[in-house]
Every structure is written in structure tokens, then in C-alpha cells.
Amino acid sequence: LVCTYFIVNVFIGIMVLHIQFNRNGGVLLDEKQTKWVQQKQLLDLVKSSTTPPPPIHRPSREFFYDIVTSSWYPKIVYTAILVNVIFGWITEYVSLVEKIQRILFPILFTVEVCMRMYAFSPKVYFRDGWNSFDFFVVMLTNVLYILEACSEDLKDTLLIRGLVALASTGRLLRLLG
């Protein structure tokens, strides 16, 4: 399992380096492609803010909107994602960590998705590709843990373990967005 995490993280690291290298017109781009990348970068600079406007006359939604759009909120979520991945690496050695990872983090990430969806409204929430990706990863994780809880035979299945590792690593991709 540790080997799986290592390989997936190396793969993600290589992808990040490749994206950063080609962002400014790497050697793999011809002149026309480089020009297109530069135009896309200019377009990204003038693109409007991706944060939806605050809800009006909805005190509870305004409360959650203020939380999820605050400057400290993403830092807490990203820290939780990193701690979850680190816990995934050491679950083979400490059984208490596995219990925390299987109970606390799915609940935490589900609450985070629900807060954002309520604050922005589902229609606005799903317009953002990263939000849709988050929703998919969190729901996949929840379904896998429910399947594991329902059947002891599935708990040690390599497929389920691999999918859980993939879902946990999928959250790392959120850090790129």
C-alpha cells in the first residue's frame, strides 16, 4: 500500500513539473502553440473572479458563505488533505491512525463539500470543475468506506484498497486548482 502511494505521488509530482514547465512555453511547444499559451495566460488574467456573489437575504447561507470564502478556510482544508494523505502512509504501522482516517476525514470532507454547496447553492457549486471533482472524490470515498463496513470480505480486497488510495490521492489534485 505504501508503494502504491509512493508511485501515485511520484506520478503527480511529474505531472506538476510538466505542467509548470509547459506553462511558459516549454520546448515541446511549437511557435503557434506557444502563442496560444501566451494568449490563454492573458485571458486568464482578465477573467472575472470565480467566487460567486454572496447570497442575499439568506442569513444562514450568508454565514456559511463568509466561512467558505474566508482567507483561512482553504488553508484548513488543504492542511486536512495533507494530514489525510500522511495518515494514509502510516496506517500500516499505527492502527489508531487508520481508525481516525476512516472515520474523521470522510466526515470532515463531506461536511466541507456540504458547506460549500449550501453556501454557493448546488447550481453554482457544480459550475466549477474542481467542486465537481471534490464532490466525486468525497462521494467515492464514502461509498467505498460504506462497502467496507458492510462486508468484511471487501475490507482486504486489493481493488477497494487501491480505489481508497486513489480517492485519497485525488484530493491532492485539489491543491493544484
Side-chain angles (χ1 to χ4, degrees):
L1 188 60
V2 173
C3 215
T4 304
Y5 278 118
F6 178 75
I7 290 170
V8 171
N9 286 321
V10 167
F11 176 73
I12 290 173
I14 291 170
M15 283 178 31
V16 170
L17 286 174
H18 183 70
I19 289 168
Q20 288 175 344
F21 178 73
N22 284 326
R23 197 171 266 169
N24 295 324
V27 295
L28 300 176
L29 302 178
D30 62 17
E31 186 178 322
K32 190 175 183 181
Q33 291 171 330
T34 303
K35 187 175 180 182
W36 180 85
V37 168
Q38 291 169 348
Q39 289 175 345
K40 177 112 173 75
Q41 288 173 343
L42 286 173
L43 183 62
D44 288 343
L45 288 175
V46 296
K47 192 190 303 186
S48 64
S49 171
T50 58
T51 304
I56 301 171
H57 306 300
R58 292 241 164 118
S60 62
R61 248 194 187 152
E62 289 175 9
F63 173 75
F64 285 109
Y65 181 88
D66 290 341
I67 290 174
V68 299
T69 57
S70 66
S71 62
W72 52 266
Y73 183 77
K75 294 173 188 168
I76 291 173
V77 172
Y78 295 156
T79 302
I81 291 170
L82 290 174
V83 169
N84 183 37
V85 170
I86 291 169
F87 277 17
W89 290 335
I90 61 174
T91 54
E92 295 295 319
Y93 309 107
V94 184
S95 62
L96 175 64
V97 170
E98 182 178 11
K99 290 178 183 175
I100 291 171
Q101 186 187 26
R102 293 187 180 276
I103 295 170
L104 177 69
F105 287 109
I107 292 170
L108 181 72
F109 293 128
T110 303
V111 167
E112 188 258 340
V113 163
C114 291
M115 280 177 53
R116 290 178 61 84
M117 194 179 301
Y118 182 69
F120 297 143
S121 83
K123 184 178 180 180
V124 174
Y125 176 83
F126 284 111
R127 279 188 202 153
D128 182 16
W130 282 113
N131 286 340
S132 299
F133 180 75
D134 274 350
F135 181 82
F136 173 75
V137 168
V138 168
M139 291 306 125
L140 175 66
T141 304
N142 290 343
V143 167
L144 292 173
Y145 284 146
I146 289 169
L147 285 174
E148 278 187 358
C150 291
S151 173
E152 284 296 318
D153 296 336
L154 287 176
K155 189 169 189 168
D156 292 325
T157 305
L158 191 58
L159 175 64
I160 296 293
R161 285 181 169 254
L163 287 174
V164 169
L166 184 64
S168 297
T169 308
R171 288 189 196 103
L172 279 176
L173 289 175
R174 177 68 170 151
L175 299 176
L176 297 175

